[in-house]
Amino acid sequence: MITVSIIVPVFNVEKYLSECLESIISYADRNMEIICIDDGSTDRSYEIILQYQKRYPDLIRCMKHECNKGLSEARNTGLKYARGKYVWFVDSDDMLMGENPISFLYVIAENYNTDIVFFDMEKFEDDMPCEYSKNAQDVSLDNAHILSGRELFRESINENRIKCESCRQFFRKDFLINNHLEFVPGLLHEDNVFWIQCCMKAERILNLNCKFYRYRQRPGSICHVMSPKRVQSVFVIFMEIYMTWKQNYASLTEQENQAFAKYMNRFFDTWQLYREYDEGNELLNWLDAPTGEIYNIVNCCKSRWLKIEEKELEILRKQKQIIVFGAGVAAKSMIRYLCNQHIKIEAVGVTNTDGNPAFLSNIPVKPIEQLTEYRETAMIVIGVTNRYGKGIYEQLGKLGFQHIMELETL
């Protein structure tokens, strides 16, 4: 009986492939299998797989795409032919780590009857030593408790601790197959969509605070290079997340709907930032979707990120000077909205300018202490999420600002 299938998509990684396979083989036993899918490599990657298959014929299975179809298709092929009760997707330039992660995760998944077990990873630069650790880790399960996928999604977004990478998830194969979960072909950053779709379906998830995976960071890899495909992928991810939310929103709690709004906002803002790299501005044609429909969807989502009443708009229209406090996601949404309402913004105030742009929508961004000349005349509009609004309100009051408005944001 095969208990665990390790699925390894391979494309032009001859430099790293042996290290990856050796790290997996060192933990393997006769109840496991390693499925390597060569995705049309043009280097020696396929030859290396065949060499390992010859050495370990009962452990390694080899499949080949005649042309490059992308990471998603390679993973889907591996999942289709996997025989294990559980599957683990391992990228071919990475490595496993820990005392015995495969057996450990299998036992945990069995004992807790999980759909997915999440765990942590250790990132390392490409030029760092590639030795992998087999040292035991302190893994405490005393406070371990099962979460639903939706609970994990909400907590991950609110705490900004998202573990969306598929390589840090140990899946029960039947959970994926029965829910028709697979990777969207042709995307970069495809894990963002797969993760959220899994969260909407999973009933039993365990989230471990221990490292079982070494993730190699390669600056020249396709996911780190700006390109039209990357711009397209970010927008398609936004659309996929929106469609997932639309299919589920009626059964979601208000907190879960807010988490979706934050997640969609992140990808929409990223796409807006990347748009200048879309050569020829061909994105909408590439999507093969009506322009009006796409922007209706965008506007529908944006209306969930900022709630502003007509009476508040009237107050703002009467102001001679307006300053928005904040330069994050909520503030950007607010600034766009107010600019579309032809309401002039004098400046954007922040606590610290480090990491913030010098301008937002051509509006100067300055430390709030440098804007105290406006404290008696300007209306300060707080542009942060509600959870932080109270502290900001008190901070502005101490600086002497007399007119402060706190809008409702998600």
Side-chain angles (χ1 to χ4, degrees):
M1 173 187 174
I2 302 297
T3 56
V4 180
S5 297
I6 308 293
I7 298 173
V8 185
V10 176
F11 179 68
N12 289 353
V13 284
E14 62 179 0
K15 180 179 177 181
Y16 311 106
L17 184 54
S18 292
E19 296 169 0
C20 173
L21 293 178
E22 290 289 348
S23 81
I24 301 172
I25 291 168
S26 68
Y27 298 112
D29 62 35
R30 59 187 179 86
N31 295 319
M32 302 174 190
E33 67 175 358
I34 303 172
I35 304 177
C36 296
I37 306 95
D38 182 78
D39 191 34
S41 295
T42 57
D43 64 0
R44 293 183 57 255
S45 294
Y46 184 58
E47 179 183 335
I48 293 172
I49 297 172
L50 293 178
Q51 291 172 355
Y52 273 89
Q53 186 183 41
K54 186 175 181 179
R55 288 169 55 189
Y56 304 97
D58 296 328
L59 176 62
I60 296 179
R61 300 168 64 194
C62 178
M63 299 175 184
K64 183 174 178 60
H65 291 167
E66 292 304 321
C67 61
N68 178 241
K69 297 182 178 181
L71 179 60
S72 292
E73 291 276 32
R75 285 175 173 172
N76 291 339
T77 296
L79 179 60
K80 179 180 178 180
Y81 291 101
R83 297 177 295 179
K85 184 174 182 179
Y86 297 92
V87 296
W88 188 353
F89 299 100
V90 175
D91 290 347
S92 53
D93 54 352
D94 297 336
M95 291 170 280
L96 308 189
M97 63 181 291
E99 185 176 17
N100 201 338
I102 304 174
S103 294
F104 178 84
L105 290 169
Y106 171 74
V107 171
I108 290 297
E110 286 285 281
N111 289 346
Y112 284 85
N113 189 28
T114 59
D115 296 319
I116 312 173
V117 179
F118 285 81
F119 46 89
D120 289 333
M121 64 167 59
E122 176 180 285
K123 296 183 179 181
F124 70 103
E125 299 295 335
D126 190 21
D127 57 356
M128 290 177 61
C130 58
E131 296 180 2
Y132 55 92
S133 172
K134 298 191 72 171
N135 296 331
Q137 299 184 65
D138 293 328
V139 181
S140 175
L141 297 175
D142 294 340
N143 298 320
H145 63 285
I146 295 294
L147 297 171
S148 71
R150 295 182 179 189
E151 290 172 329
L152 178 79
F153 170 70
R154 184 189 70 237
E155 290 184 7
S156 299
I157 298 298
N158 289 339
E159 297 173 8
N160 197 27
R161 297 183 62 185
I162 300 173
K163 297 181 180 181
C164 69
E165 299 91 345
S166 298
C167 55
R168 61 163 72 183
Q169 301 174 49
F170 192 77
F171 297 96
R172 181 166 52 83
K173 187 183 73 173
D174 284 351
F175 161 71
L176 299 178
I177 300 300
N178 294 339
N179 287 290
H180 309 288
L181 293 166
E182 60 181 20
F183 296 89
V184 179
L187 286 186
L188 302 179
H189 313 293
E190 64 289 321
D191 285 342
N192 291 280
V193 175
F194 189 71
W195 172 72
I196 200 169
Q197 291 175 342
C198 286
C199 284
M200 292 302 102
K201 298 293 185 179
E203 296 180 358
R204 297 182 62 81
I205 287 179
L206 192 62
N207 191 9
L208 301 179
N209 185 27
C210 52
K211 296 177 181 178
F212 290 136
Y213 194 90
R214 296 201 76 209
Y215 176 82
R216 188 189 306 269
Q217 295 182 298
R218 292 192 285 155
S221 68
I222 190 170
C223 287
H224 292 88
V225 176
M226 188 57 64
S227 66
K229 184 173 181 179
R230 190 174 181 185
V231 182
Q232 295 163 355
S233 293
V234 170
F235 191 81
V236 173
I237 289 169
F238 168 81
M239 296 287 289
E240 290 284 349
I241 295 171
Y242 170 78
M243 295 308 297
T244 301
W245 169 72
K246 188 175 181 180
Q247 293 165 4
N248 291 277
Y249 79 93
S251 62
L252 297 172
T253 66
E254 181 58 28
Q255 291 79 11
E256 290 162 356
N257 276 314
Q258 290 178 10
F260 259 101
K262 292 179 183 179
Y263 204 48
M264 287 188 286
N265 198 334
R266 172 184 302 184
F267 283 98
F268 183 73
D269 280 354
T270 302
W271 176 69
Q272 292 283 68
L273 179 65
Y274 290 171
R275 283 184 69 183
E276 62 187 275
Y277 294 92
D278 186 26
E279 296 177 358
N281 197 27
E282 297 176 349
L283 178 61
L284 298 182
N285 294 332
W286 179 82
L287 284 171
D288 192 28
T291 303
E293 179 181 342
I294 290 176
Y295 283 104
N296 284 339
I297 290 173
V298 171
N299 290 331
C300 175
C301 290
K302 286 173 65 177
S303 69
R304 297 191 56 79
W305 305 336
L306 174 67
K307 294 182 179 179
I308 181 167
E309 303 292 339
E310 183 61 33
K311 61 181 181 181
E312 294 170 326
L313 278 176
E314 287 302 316
I315 293 174
L316 293 175
R317 289 188 181 110
K318 295 177 182 178
Q319 304 303 312
K320 293 183 178 179
Q321 298 166 324
I322 292 176
I323 296 173
V324 171
F325 182 92
V329 169
K332 291 174 184 175
S333 297
M334 182 180 297
I335 290 168
R336 283 197 300 265
Y337 186 83
L338 294 179
C339 288
N340 288 338
Q341 295 293 319
H342 306 291
I343 295 176
K344 183 182 177 182
I345 300 171
E346 196 77 27
V348 174
V350 294
T351 302
N352 191 329
T353 54
D354 291 345
N356 285 315
F359 293 87
L360 280 178
S361 299
N362 295 320
I363 302 167
V365 178
K366 298 181 179 180
I368 191 64
E369 290 83 358
Q370 294 183 11
L371 298 172
T372 51
E373 63 182 283
Y374 298 104
R375 57 191 170 192
E376 295 182 0
T377 58
M379 173 68 75
I380 304 293
V381 184
I382 298 177
V384 300
T385 54
N386 291 343
R387 62 185 297 192
Y388 302 116
K390 183 177 179 181
I392 298 300
Y393 197 98
E394 294 174 354
Q395 177 185 350
L396 294 173
K398 290 179 180 178
L399 289 172
F401 288 97
Q402 298 181 13
H403 310 287
I404 304 172
M405 178 180 287
E406 185 176 2
L407 300 179
E408 185 177 358
T409 57
L410 297 178

